[in-house]
Amino acid sequence: MELDTLKKVIDKDKQAILKLIDRSAHKEAEDISSIWRDAIQFLSFVKDLSIESLLNIRLHTGFITGVPWFKHAHQPYRLWSDEEKESLPIVKNYFRLVRDIPSEICCSEPVSSPLIESVGVRYQGNLISDDLVRYQRCISNLYRIGVFDESNYSDGHTTIVEIGGGYGAVAHHISAISEANLRLTYFIVDLPEMLMWSYLYLRINNPDKKIFIYNPEESGSFLSSGEYADYDFVLFSNLDARDLKKLSKVDHVINLLSFQEMEESQVRNYLEILSPILEGYFYSENFSKHWMNSELNVALSEIYSDYFDLFPEPAQYGDKIIGANSEENSDKLWSLFTFACIKKERTFSGNEKLVTSNGVFFK
């Protein structure tokens, strides 16, 4: 897509997201946790970036993830051979996540401009960053539990819902992997201010894919008619999450480092909306609770257990999960816990495997 054409598309779609932001500004404060009420004040600048700056949007995402783009930019090891780079912690972590999966499941940072090469290290042709390693862990695990296996979808179409899409990187990678053998529609449900980030990142890196911005005041029967299946990505304001009930089914739900920053009532609201129509896995990578989040007073695994069977079971994490993510336990402050969950009336295949930051688990 030519740059002038891309700019026109982005300008038009930005107006649609700004409408969602305007709607959100008039809603009650309980629709957003206090952590995010503060955070979005620092992130609104993205809507004002020029098209030239947006080609480098990946250089701005550290405001969301906390990882600066220049961490690896001026390091001599970027010039090393692949063999030499295998001694680097970032490459060791990446290799640990991909050594038992096919090459087409191995992710690489998309390069929308030459400057993006600075965000990481090239290894075996893939551009690896700290963000990418975290996303690769999720995607490798999704592969291991069968999310990318087309034989698991009888109607030939797959619907994935991610609650809290960050800047859209996981959506991008899953969509890219699925192109070969799945017809995928990927929903992102998030604060409208964050949908602006997801949209811009996805559009810059996927100029020819179809993105729909859902607005209940304008979208009519988009969900109930199945029209959404014609789109690659659907962006959904958190205020409209209940409209997801209009979907006949959702194959999988993903939540990464998001539920930990919500109120318990908000987490339960999402699970009550999506669990009845969920046919596959609910995949979660979160702290038990974020130590700064005073509005979540119970471990997420306890909430999940009211709706799902969990793999691994929380007890399998042993002492690592007891008292985790508490100010009083500084050694466990940033411990991350991964779960693949299914509805209680279903059964696990028995072949599940998860590689987590706290060990490897087999069903």
Side-chain angles (χ1 to χ4, degrees):
M1 187 183 293
E2 295 292 332
L3 192 61
D4 286 345
T5 304
L6 180 60
K7 182 180 186 302
K8 290 177 182 177
V9 171
I10 287 176
D11 286 345
K12 177 177 178 292
D13 286 343
K14 279 169 63 174
Q15 293 306 310
I17 298 175
L18 288 171
K19 282 186 181 181
L20 298 181
I21 293 174
D22 185 62
R23 285 178 63 231
S24 175
H26 295 90
K27 296 294 182 179
E28 295 296 324
E30 63 259 24
D31 292 317
I32 180 172
S33 67
S34 60
I35 285 181
W36 274 98
R37 196 175 304 120
D38 293 336
I40 59 175
Q41 298 179 63
F42 300 97
L43 299 171
S44 62
F45 71 89
V46 72
K47 70 180 184 299
D48 300 317
L49 294 179
S50 68
I51 185 65
E52 291 77 16
S53 294
L54 287 174
L55 293 176
N56 297 312
I57 188 172
R58 180 62 180 82
L59 304 184
H60 298 282
T61 58
F63 287 99
I64 299 172
T65 65
V67 181
W69 67 268
F70 49 82
K71 180 177 179 181
H72 303 283
H74 306 295
Q75 298 298 332
Y77 52 69
R78 294 183 69 229
L79 304 177
W80 293 358
S81 67
D82 277 357
E83 184 177 1
E84 291 173 313
K85 288 175 182 174
E86 288 174 358
S87 65
L88 297 174
I90 188 173
V91 173
K92 287 181 178 179
N93 290 336
Y94 179 79
F95 183 74
R96 171 176 171 264
L97 298 171
V98 303
R99 60 188 171 191
D100 63 338
I101 64 172
S103 60
E104 59 267 25
I105 309 297
C106 301
C107 300
S108 177
E109 286 273 1
V111 179
S112 55
S113 87
L115 292 179
I116 306 305
E117 288 285 345
S118 300
V119 305
V121 178
R122 283 278 174 191
Y123 175 70
Q124 295 186 347
N126 288 341
L127 181 57
I128 304 167
S129 69
D130 295 83
D131 284 358
L132 185 108
V133 169
R134 181 159 57 86
Y135 303 143
Q136 183 68 63
R137 180 174 58 231
C138 165
I139 288 165
S140 294
N141 282 334
L142 295 178
Y143 168 78
R144 295 186 186 100
I145 60 179
V147 167
F148 300 112
D149 185 348
E150 67 270 27
S151 66
N152 290 329
Y153 309 105
S154 58
D155 62 359
H157 181 266
T158 311
T159 302
I160 293 178
V161 175
E162 183 180 4
I163 304 164
Y167 62 86
V170 174
H172 165 81
H173 291 298
I174 290 177
S175 179
I177 291 169
S178 301
E179 287 175 358
N181 59 351
L182 295 177
R183 287 176 50 239
L184 170 68
T185 301
Y186 197 103
F187 284 73
I188 295 179
V189 185
D190 213 331
L191 303 172
E193 293 85 354
M194 293 306 299
L195 291 181
M196 185 69 79
W197 281 88
S198 293
Y199 168 77
L200 292 169
Y201 178 87
L202 290 171
R203 176 52 73 213
I204 290 295
N205 289 295
N206 303 273
D208 297 318
K209 287 191 174 181
K210 298 178 68 176
I211 303 177
F212 187 88
I213 300 162
Y214 180 82
N215 186 329
E217 298 172 1
E218 302 172 0
S219 300
S221 61
F222 176 76
L223 296 174
S224 58
S225 69
E227 183 185 349
Y228 66 88
D230 294 329
Y231 287 82
D232 299 290
F233 305 104
V234 179
L235 306 187
F236 228 86
S237 167
N238 65 306
L239 297 177
D240 303 316
R242 289 202 168 274
D243 283 4
L244 292 169
K245 290 182 175 182
K246 298 176 183 178
L247 296 172
S248 59
K249 70 175 179 70
V250 168
D251 290 294
H252 306 289
V253 175
I254 297 170
N255 185 263
L256 307 178
L257 297 174
S258 171
F259 275 167
Q260 65 190 28
E261 297 166 352
M262 297 187 195
E263 301 172 14
E264 178 179 349
S265 61
Q266 293 169 329
V267 176
R268 289 189 180 276
N269 183 52
Y270 279 117
L271 298 182
E272 286 165 9
I273 290 168
L274 291 167
S275 60
I277 55 175
L278 176 63
E279 295 199 348
Y281 290 95
F282 163 52
Y283 181 86
S284 167
E285 284 188 17
N286 282 278
F287 305 152
S288 283
K289 64 180 293 295
H290 197 297
W291 73 270
M292 292 177 62
N293 183 5
S294 61
E295 297 170 316
L296 179 65
N297 297 309
V298 61
L300 286 173
S301 57
E302 293 182 35
I303 300 174
Y304 297 166
S305 296
D306 289 340
Y307 302 87
F308 305 108
D309 287 333
L310 279 59
F311 167 66
E313 296 179 7
Q316 290 180 261
Y317 280 110
D319 291 342
K320 294 177 181 178
I321 202 169
I322 298 172
N325 313 121
S326 167
E327 293 177 76
E328 291 76 29
N329 293 294
S330 58
D331 58 326
K332 301 180 182 179
L333 193 61
W334 305 111
S335 295
L336 192 68
F337 301 98
T338 300
F339 295 100
C341 312
I342 59 173
K343 292 198 291 189
K344 293 179 182 292
E345 62 266 27
R346 294 184 63 238
T347 56
F348 288 102
S349 69
N351 298 317
E352 287 87 356
K353 173 186 175 182
L354 294 179
V355 177
T356 80
S357 57
N358 280 298
V360 180
F361 297 90
F362 297 89
K363 191 65 180 170

